[in-house]
Amino acid sequence: MTELLTAAQMRAIEQAAIDSGEVTGLELMERAGRGVVEAILEEWPDMAKTPQKAVVLCGPGNNGGDGFVVARLLKDCGWEVEVFLYGEVDKLPPDAKANAKRWLEMGEVKLLDPDEIFQTDSDLWIDAVFGTGLTRGLPESVFWSFAAINEKLSKGGPYSCSIDAPSGICTDSGQVLKWGHLLDVDLCVAIRPVKVGLLIGKAKYISKNLRQVDIGLGTLSLPARDLIDYLEFDKFGSLLEKENAHKYHHGHALILSGPSARTGAARLAARGALRIGAGVVSLGAPQSAIAECAAQL
């Protein structure tokens, strides 16, 4: 079983942890950034051997703050790093602003512009634009920036990584939000506990290469931690994968019934077959039992 949260539950847990005095927002952001860098180097070990070039796309919230931490840590490793921001440094939340200013001591912050993105080359593109808080569609400049990066990715060579969630995904429903021209993500590094929307809907295909980073929230006993238990359906193969398919992709069960007054087991089996994911269920019954079965199914 995997513990999952909604976006609101994750925000409540983070705030409760900060309010408890056990950790600060800056410490959580630092842990998240370090976890992302470690996950990147584990995923692509060749990048740890020789400094690379990374472009970090930061957003106007704390997800962007995580991006500034990642940019600073990669720079410390000798990487060439460029940072683009959707928004303004002075309007960032306090912790994200503090990390932006730490980055500004090492490099510059450029305005996120699709034309400039199109002219920029990189070995690794990092999406830290929007995380769990996004409920609206992607802004136009983000949309076209992702489109420009995807064109580069389609030619092979560079890699891409999203922090916590691919920007443009609803982390509660897993659906793509309006203007959701998402970055083609090679790796999604999610902050544990993972948000439910990363494992359902369209997101399960986009973030299928998912690594989890523990920043200490999973060890806290907090009243806000109302977790969702999630059964790993992948263990059951493709039977339950109904999205982007039709009923005849998922098995046809034929159940033969006894005569009238002897149909109970067959009807029970028919309901069970539907519940476990059979695409089509047919109940074959003698003429005398057809009305009895039809009345109760």
Side-chain angles (χ1 to χ4, degrees), residues 107-139:
E108 63 177 323
V109 174
K110 301 178 181 179
L111 179 68
L112 183 62
D113 176 74
D115 291 332
E116 188 162 358
I117 291 291
F118 188 78
Q119 301 297 324
T120 302
D121 291 320
S122 179
D123 300 304
L124 176 65
W125 298 88
I126 299 175
D127 164 27
V129 185
F130 295 107
T132 59
L134 187 67
T135 56
R136 55 187 169 83
L138 288 177

Side-chain angles (χ1 to χ4, degrees), residues 130-165:
F130 295 107
T132 59
L134 187 67
T135 56
R136 55 187 169 83
L138 288 177
E140 189 172 351
S141 63
V142 177
F143 174 93
W144 289 113
S145 293
F146 284 173
I149 296 169
N150 284 342
E151 184 173 340
K152 298 173 184 292
L153 296 174
S154 68
K155 298 174 183 177
Y159 296 105
S160 60
C161 171
S162 284
I163 298 178
D164 206 23

Side-chain angles (χ1 to χ4, degrees), residues 56-281:
V56 185
L57 312 178
C58 294
N62 285 331
N63 194 249
D66 294 341
F68 284 114
V69 175
V70 170
R72 172 170 48 80
L73 294 176
L74 289 176
K75 185 81 168 179
D76 285 340
C77 292
W79 286 44
E80 180 184 348
V81 183
E82 285 189 71
V83 175
F84 291 86
L85 173 64
Y86 173 74
E88 301 176 30
V89 170
D90 290 339
K91 293 183 179 180
L92 290 170
D95 294 333
K97 184 191 293 187
N99 275 307
K101 290 184 175 179
R102 291 186 70 183
W103 165 254
L104 284 169
E105 296 174 1
M106 308 172 71
E108 63 177 323
V109 174
K110 301 178 181 179
L111 179 68
L112 183 62
D113 176 74
D115 291 332
E116 188 162 358
I117 291 291
F118 188 78
Q119 301 297 324
T120 302
D121 291 320
S122 179
D123 300 304
L124 176 65
W125 298 88
I126 299 175
D127 164 27
V129 185
F130 295 107
T132 59
L134 187 67
T135 56
R136 55 187 169 83
L138 288 177
E140 189 172 351
S141 63
V142 177
F143 174 93
W144 289 113
S145 293
F146 284 173
I149 296 169
N150 284 342
E151 184 173 340
K152 298 173 184 292
L153 296 174
S154 68
K155 298 174 183 177
Y159 296 105
S160 60
C161 171
S162 284
I163 298 178
D164 206 23
S167 294
I169 283 288
C170 172
T171 54
D172 288 338
S173 70
Q175 296 305 308
V176 178
L177 298 166
K178 183 180 178 182
W179 282 88
H181 190 95
L182 306 180
L183 190 65
D184 292 336
V185 177
D186 296 309
L187 173 67
C188 179
V189 184
I191 309 304
R192 187 183 296 162
V194 176
K195 274 56 68 183
V196 64
L198 291 178
L199 298 177
I200 61 175
K202 301 291 185 184
K204 65 185 174 185
Y205 303 109
I206 297 163
S207 58
K208 55 182 176 289
N209 188 7
L210 184 69
R211 286 180 178 261
Q212 300 182 30
V213 171
D214 189 351
I215 62 172
L217 294 176
T219 62
L220 298 173
S221 299
L222 302 172
R225 193 163 179 248
D226 180 17
L227 295 174
I228 301 168
D229 284 331
Y230 175 81
L231 187 61
E232 300 282 0
F233 284 121
D234 285 345
K235 294 176 183 177
F236 297 93
S238 62
L239 185 62
L240 298 177
E241 291 290 341
K242 294 300 182 86
E243 194 168 342
N244 298 323
H246 59 74
K247 58 190 176 185
Y248 289 107
H249 283 159
H250 299 282
H252 184 176
L254 171 63
I255 297 166
L256 302 180
S257 168
S260 180
R262 297 290 188 273
T263 66
R267 289 186 280 107
L268 184 65
R271 290 193 184 96
L274 287 172
R275 288 185 178 182
I276 67 169
V280 183
V281 177

